[in-house]
C-alpha cells in the first residue's frame, strides 16, 4: 500500500495507483479531458497536472503513480494558471459555436473554459474550418470542435476492439477520421460519442432535438439482449429523445452497444400498434383499453365455461421484464386457473438450464457480467458473443487485455477470433466432438485429479464414451489440427480458473 496525502487528506491506495485514480476514489476532483477509467493512461491534455511538495516540476496526475510520503496539491494559483493556459491553447482553434453545438450544457470543454478560462485569448490563429462529416447514418463528426484528446480513437481500439477511428495528419491539421477518410463503418456502438469531451462527435438521431438542460434523465433496462444494461434515457415532454450509458451506472458500467443506444426508435414507429384492436366483421377496429379488457374477459369466461380452464394457455416473452412475466404467471395460475404457459425462451434457455441442472445441479447460471474478468482462460465455443451479448463481449476483451488467454473455437471470423490468443477454426457444429476430444486428452494425460473425478457417479461410462475421441479422430471431425486440440486441452486443464462461454447459437 502507498500512504500519501492529497490536499492534506491522508490517502492509502494499492501500489501503482495513479494520483488521479487515488483522487477519484477519495472524491477529490482533478480536471481532465483525456481520461477515461476504461482506458490506459494517456497524459495528453495536461489539465490534470498537480503539484508535489518539494518537487521542482508538475506531474500529470493521470499517468503518475502515487509515491509514499508525497504531499500532492491539486488546486493552487500556479496550477490554475497552467490549466488556464492549456485551455487558452485548446481554444485557439476551437470555434465559438456553443450556441449551435448540441453538446453545450454537458460539454467538458465548455465547463472547464468557464471554470478556468479567460475572457480573451492571447493567441490568434485561423480557426479550423471543416464542414461536419455527416456521411455515416448515426454519428456526425465535426472536426472543427475536436481537441485531439484521442479518447474516441482509444475507446474504439482499446476498449471496443474495433479500431475504426484514427488521428490522421500531423500538427495543427490533424483530424479524427475513419481510415482513408472513408465513411465510418463500424459497430456503431456510439461509445466514442459518449466519451468525446466536446461536440466533435455527436449522435445524429439526437441532433437538434433538445438542449441537454431540458432533458429529464430516467434509467431503464435495455430490452434487447440478456446483458441487461442500464440505459439512461433523455426524455422531454414525455418523449424519449436519446439513450446513453453513464459511467458506473448499471451492470454495464456505462458501456452500451448500438442497439441499446440507437435502437429505441421503434417506440415511435408509425406502424407500431399503439391502441388495442378488436376484430369486427373481419376487420380490426381500434378500441379503448376498457373495451379491449372487457372483450378479453368476456371471451375468456366463454372459453372456460365451454372448454374448461385448462384449455387456456399463455405465451410470455423473454423480451418482457421478469416482473411482466411474473404477473402473467400469477394471472394464469390465480385468475384463469391454468398451468399452460410457455415462452420462446424455452426453445433454447430451458434446454441449457436442463443440461446445467443435470451436469452441475444448478438451476441458474452462476455467471455475471464480470465473470470473464478474473479468469485465466476463456474458451468461447461457436458463439459470436460480441454480437449476441455485446457488453459481455467487452468484458472478454477486457480479460484478454488483463492477461487472460482467450481461445475461440469457431468456423467464422468474428471480433473475438480477431482478438483471441488462439482461433481454432473448426467445422460448423462440431463443438461436441471438440469438447469430447478435450476431455479425452485431459484424462489420458492425467491433467486432472483422477482420484477425485473417478468418484463421480457414472464416471466409468463417461470415460468409456470418450474412447473414440482421440485427437486424430477429433481433428478429422472438427478440422482442428491435432496439436491444437492437445495444446488447447493442456491450456484449459492447467489454467487456475477457467470459463467456457457460449450462446444459443452453439
Ligand atoms: S461507434 Fe463504436 S465502433 Fe464506431 S467508431 Fe465509435 S467507438 Fe468505434
Ligand atoms: S473527436 Fe472528441 S474524443 Fe475524439 S479526439 Fe476529438 S475531442 Fe477527443
Ligand atoms: S449489450 Fe446492447 S443489446 Fe445487450 S443489453 Fe446492453 S445495450 Fe442492450
Amino acid at each position: 500500500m502507498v500512504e500519501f496525502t492529497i490536499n492534506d487528506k491522508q490517502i492509502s491506495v494499492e501500489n501503482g495507483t495513479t494520483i488521479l485514480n487515488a483522487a477519484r476514489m477519495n472524491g477529490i476532483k482533478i480536471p481532465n479531458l483525456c481520461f477515461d477509467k476504461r482506458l490506459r493512461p494517456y497524459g495528453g491534455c495536461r489539465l490534470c497536472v498537480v503539484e508535489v511538495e518539494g518537487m521542482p516540476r508538475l506531474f500529470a496526475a493521470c499517468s503518475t503513480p502515487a509515491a509514499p510520503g508525497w504531499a500532492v496539491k491539486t488546486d493552487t494559483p500556479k496550477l490554475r494558471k497552467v490549466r488556464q493556459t492549456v485551455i487558452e491553447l485548446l481554444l485557439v482553434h476551437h470555434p465559438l459555436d456553443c450556441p449551435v453545438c448540441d453538446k453545450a450544457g454537458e460539454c467538458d470543454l465548455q465547463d472547464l473554459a468557464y471554470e478556468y478560462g479567460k475572457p480573451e485569448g492571447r493567441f490568434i490563429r485561423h480557426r479550423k474550418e471543416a464542414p461536419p462529416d455527416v456521411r455515416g447514418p448515426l454519428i456526425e463528426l465535426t472536426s472543427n470542435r475536436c481537441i485531439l484528446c484521442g479518447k474516441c480513437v482509444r475507446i474504439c481500439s482499446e476498449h471496443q476492439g474495433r479500431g475504426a477511428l484514427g488521428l490522421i495528419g500531423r500538427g495543427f491539421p490533424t483530424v479524427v477520421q475513419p481510415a482513408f477518410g472513408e465513411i465510418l463503418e463500424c459497430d456503431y456502438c456510439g461509445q466514442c460519442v459518449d466519451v468525446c469531451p466536446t461536440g466533435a462527435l455527436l449522435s445524429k438521431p439526437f441532433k437538434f432535438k433538445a438542449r441537454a438542460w431540458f432533458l429529464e434523465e430516467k434509467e431503464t433496462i435495455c430490452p434487447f439482449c440478456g446483458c441487461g444494461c442500464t440505459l439512461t434515457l433523455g426524455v422531454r415532454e414525455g418523449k424519449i429523445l436519446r439513450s446513453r450509458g453513464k459511467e458506473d451506472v448499471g451492470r454495464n458500467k456505462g458501456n452500451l452497444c448500438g442497439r441499446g443506444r440507437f435502437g429505441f426508435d421503434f417506440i415511435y414507429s408509425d406502424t407500431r400498434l399503439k391502441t388495442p384492436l378488436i376484430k369486427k366483421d373481419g376487420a380490426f377496429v381500434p378500441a379503448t383499453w376498457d373495451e379491449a379488457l372487457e372483450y378479453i374477459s368476456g371471451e375468456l369466461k366463454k372459453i372456460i365455461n365451454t372448454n374448461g380452464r385448462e384449455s387456456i394457455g399463455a405465451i410470455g416473452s423473454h423480451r418482457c421484464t421478469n416482473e411482466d412475466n411474473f404477473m402473467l404467471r400469477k394471472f394464469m395460475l390465480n385468475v384463469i386457473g391454468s398451468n399452460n404457459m410457455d415462452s420462446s425462451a424455452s426453445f433454447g434457455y430451458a434446454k441449457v438450464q436442463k443440461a446445467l441442472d443435470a451436469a452441475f445441479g444448478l438451476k441458474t447460471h452462476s455467471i455475471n457480467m464480470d465473470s470473464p474478468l478474473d479468469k485465466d482462460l476463456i474458451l468461447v465455443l461457436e458463439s459470436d458473443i460480441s454480437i449476441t451479448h455485446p457488453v459481455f463481449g467487452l468484458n472478454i476483451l477486457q480479460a484478454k487485455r488483463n492477461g487472460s488467454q482467450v481461445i475461440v473455437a469457431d468456423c467464422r471470423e468474428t471480433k473475438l477470433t480477431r482478438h483471441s490468443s488462439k482461433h481454432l477454426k473448426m467445422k460448423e457444429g462440431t463443438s461436441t466432438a471438440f469438447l469430447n476430444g478435450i476431455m479425452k486428452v485431459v484424462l489420458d494425460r492425467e491433467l486432472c485429479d483422477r482420484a477425485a473425478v473417478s468418484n463421480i457417479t457414472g464416471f466409468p461410462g463417461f470415460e468409456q464414451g470418450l474412447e473414440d475421441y482421440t485427437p486424430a479422430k477429433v481433428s478429422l471431425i472438427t478440422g482442428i489440427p491435432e496439436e491444437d486440440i492437445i495444446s488447447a486441452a493442456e491450456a484449459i486443464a492447467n489454467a487456475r480458473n477457467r470459463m467456457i462461454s457460449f450462446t444459443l447459437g452453439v
Side-chain angles (χ1 to χ4, degrees):
M1 296 298 279
V2 179
E3 311 275 340
F4 72 116
T5 63
I6 301 181
N7 302 339
D8 299 324
K9 181 176 179 182
Q10 196 62 41
I11 308 278
S12 175
V13 286
E14 280 184 22
N15 283 347
T17 309
T18 62
I19 297 172
L20 182 58
N21 278 333
R24 285 164 56 89
M25 287 171 203
N26 286 278
I28 299 168
K29 194 180 145 215
I30 301 180
N32 63 77
L33 284 170
C34 71
F35 171 85
D36 186 289
K37 75 175 196 188
R38 292 167 290 184
L39 303 173
R40 286 195 290 266
Y42 185 63
C45 74
R46 317 312 282 182
L47 276 166
C48 69
V49 283
V50 291
E51 280 191 77
V52 177
E53 228 170 72
M55 296 283 190
R57 70 174 179 94
L58 303 179
F59 292 86
C62 70
S63 48
T64 307
W70 272 10
V72 175
K73 294 274 187 263
T74 65
D75 195 7
T76 64
K78 184 176 175 180
L79 291 172
R80 291 192 78 80
K81 192 145 190 231
V82 169
R83 288 176 189 149
Q84 194 178 57
T85 307
V86 169
I87 288 166
E88 198 181 349
L89 288 168
L90 287 175
L91 294 179
V92 169
H93 291 281
H94 198 84
L96 298 176
D97 63 357
C98 301
V100 292
C101 176
D102 244 31
K103 192 81 172 187
E106 54 184 2
C107 171
D108 293 346
L109 182 64
Q110 187 184 41
D111 291 348
L112 289 170
Y114 269 107
E115 195 175 341
Y116 291 97
K118 306 163 78 145
E120 283 178 358
R122 289 167 292 169
F123 312 111
I124 309 293
R125 203 175 188 277
H126 196 66
R127 290 185 191 280
K128 282 188 188 171
E129 276 171 19
D133 184 343
V134 293
R135 292 171 298 163
L138 296 168
I139 293 171
E140 177 172 316
L141 174 65
T142 306
S143 50
N144 282 356
R145 297 179 186 144
C146 174
I147 55 163
L148 303 176
C149 67
K151 252 170 143 179
C152 55
V153 175
R154 290 178 289 128
I155 198 94
C156 188
S157 63
E158 268 180 47
H159 185 70
Q160 193 63 24
R162 201 57 168 78
L165 293 169
L167 288 166
I168 297 181
R170 289 208 150 203
F172 291 125
T174 309
V175 285
V176 165
Q177 280 279 302
F180 309 110
E182 298 282 349
I183 298 173
L184 185 62
E185 199 183 301
C186 64
D187 297 351
Y188 280 108
C189 62
Q191 303 262 64
C192 51
V193 174
D194 266 356
V195 297
C196 181
T198 73
L201 282 165
L202 292 173
S203 154
K204 258 172 100 171
F206 176 61
K207 195 178 164 195
F208 297 151
K209 289 272 169 40
R211 283 307 202 179
W213 53 88
F214 288 132
L215 291 178
E216 210 183 325
E217 294 217 301
K218 297 195 186 277
E219 274 155 24
T220 187
I221 302 294
C222 175
F224 284 109
C225 85
C227 288
C229 298
T230 297
L231 311 176
T232 303
L233 301 178
V235 181
R236 187 177 183 194
E237 291 167 8
K239 189 164 181 188
I240 300 170
L241 296 180
R242 75 171 178 191
S243 156
R244 64 174 180 146
K246 263 187 164 174
E247 187 179 340
D248 289 334
V249 174
R251 58 204 318 221
N252 46 319
K253 300 187 178 133
N255 292 304
L256 286 186
C257 79
R259 290 180 295 214
R261 188 182 310 272
F262 297 113
F264 61 85
D265 52 349
F266 67 87
I267 300 172
Y268 301 112
S269 165
D270 290 342
T271 55
R272 188 174 177 208
L273 193 58
K274 295 185 186 111
T275 56
L277 302 174
I278 298 177
K279 207 171 206 176
K280 287 179 183 158
D281 302 326
F284 281 113
V285 181
T288 64
W289 279 104
D290 282 346
E291 285 167 344
L293 292 172
E294 198 65 40
Y295 174 80
I296 293 168
S297 143
E299 292 300 300
L300 287 174
K301 277 180 200 148
K302 269 192 237 164
I303 297 169
I304 290 170
N305 290 337
T306 50
N307 298 320
R309 294 178 178 276
E310 286 293 322
S311 67
I312 297 176
I315 300 175
S317 168
H318 58 294
R319 297 261 173 244
C320 295
T321 59
N322 289 339
E323 290 80 1
D324 285 343
N325 280 317
F326 181 71
M327 283 306 291
L328 179 67
R329 183 171 175 274
K330 237 178 141 173
F331 174 75
M332 285 300 290
L333 291 177
N334 300 347
V335 180
I336 299 293
S338 164
N339 199 19
N340 295 326
M341 281 164 274
D342 210 336
S343 123
S344 58
S346 70
F347 293 129
Y349 296 109
K351 284 179 190 152
V352 174
Q353 241 162 1
K354 214 169 160 187
L356 277 177
D357 192 15
F360 305 113
L362 288 175
K363 290 268 184 241
T364 54
H365 303 265
S366 59
I367 56 160
N368 60 47
M369 286 285 268
D370 291 337
S371 289
L373 296 178
D374 62 349
K375 303 295 178 295
D376 291 342
L377 183 138
I378 300 164
L379 170 66
V380 179
L381 213 53
E382 289 196 275
S383 301
D384 192 356
I385 294 173
S386 297
I387 297 288
T388 55
H389 301 79
V391 170
F392 189 77
L394 288 181
N395 279 350
I396 296 183
L397 294 179
Q398 178 67 44
K400 169 81 185 343
R401 280 195 298 280
N402 294 348
S404 307
Q405 208 180 338
V406 176
I407 300 177
V408 184
D410 207 317
C411 62
R412 298 161 291 185
E413 300 278 345
T414 64
K415 189 197 268 186
L416 285 180
T417 63
R418 284 195 295 280
H419 288 276
S420 64
S421 324
K422 182 84 184 164
H423 175 195
L424 302 174
K425 200 150 188 169
M426 57 156 41
K427 289 182 202 159
E428 193 179 356
T430 57
S431 292
T432 310
F434 171 66
L435 289 178
N436 283 342
I438 296 283
M439 291 189 286
K440 178 147 179 69
V441 175
V442 169
L443 288 170
D444 287 354
R445 297 183 176 224
E446 305 284 333
L447 298 173
C448 61
D449 183 349
R450 180 170 274 277
V453 294
S454 299
N455 287 331
I456 299 173
T457 316
F459 179 77
F462 161 74
E463 192 171 15
Q464 213 177 356
L466 296 178
E467 230 163 55
D468 272 351
Y469 290 94
T470 58
K473 172 99 181 276
V474 171
S475 178
L476 268 181
I477 300 171
T478 61
I480 302 170
E482 262 181 73
E483 60 276 16
D484 285 352
I485 296 168
I486 295 168
S487 60
E490 286 172 347
I492 292 167
N494 291 331
R496 246 183 324 120
N497 48 39
R498 62 194 77 76
M499 168 175 171
I500 300 181
S501 200
F502 57 88
T503 63
L504 287 186
V506 79

